[in-house]
Amino acid sequence: MKTPSSIQVIKADYLDGYRLRVTFNDGKVNDIDFSDIVNHLKGYYSKYQKPVNFKKFKVDEGNVVWGSDWDLIFPVHQLYKNHLTKN
């Protein structure tokens, strides 16, 4: 499946655990489980393992981000395909 280059996140809602429902500007909606990534965060970023911190995401400039300086961000094409990979 090819991801449109102009795809953006327009909305994200918390579901449970480390799952969000993400809505894209073309109408597609994915329920995305971030647990495989979040459970392996280390150091400074491990704070997002706490549900209270994980829930502090926002949609900014077409991305889902955590932290005022975009501490945590995932490529939009991975969100769109609902396939997150570890870097």
Side-chain angles (χ1 to χ4, degrees):
M1 174 195 316
K2 189 174 182 180
T3 306
S5 60
S6 61
I7 203 71
Q8 294 185 335
V9 174
I10 59 169
K11 183 179 177 186
D13 297 301
Y14 178 76
L15 294 174
D16 57 36
Y18 298 121
R19 294 182 337 120
L20 302 180
R21 177 164 290 147
V22 178
T23 305
F24 300 90
N25 60 343
D26 68 349
K28 183 175 181 170
V29 178
N30 283 341
D31 291 349
I32 303 172
D33 187 351
F34 293 85
S35 60
D36 284 346
I37 304 288
V38 173
N39 284 326
H40 291 93
L41 294 173
K42 301 207 183 303
Y44 172 82
Y45 302 101
S46 66
K47 69 182 180 180
Y48 294 107
Q49 293 171 342
K50 293 181 181 179
V52 68
N53 292 328
F54 180 80
K55 292 178 184 179
K56 292 181 181 177
F57 64 90
K58 63 183 175 183
V59 175
D60 193 2
E61 296 183 27
N63 297 284
V64 178
V65 300
W66 287 260
S68 60
D69 293 325
W70 292 25
D71 292 341
L72 215 63
I73 183 171
F74 297 88
V76 173
H77 72 276
Q78 289 183 10
L79 300 176
Y80 191 83
K81 292 179 180 179
N82 203 352
H83 182 75
L84 303 178
T85 59
K86 299 175 192 171
N87 291 335

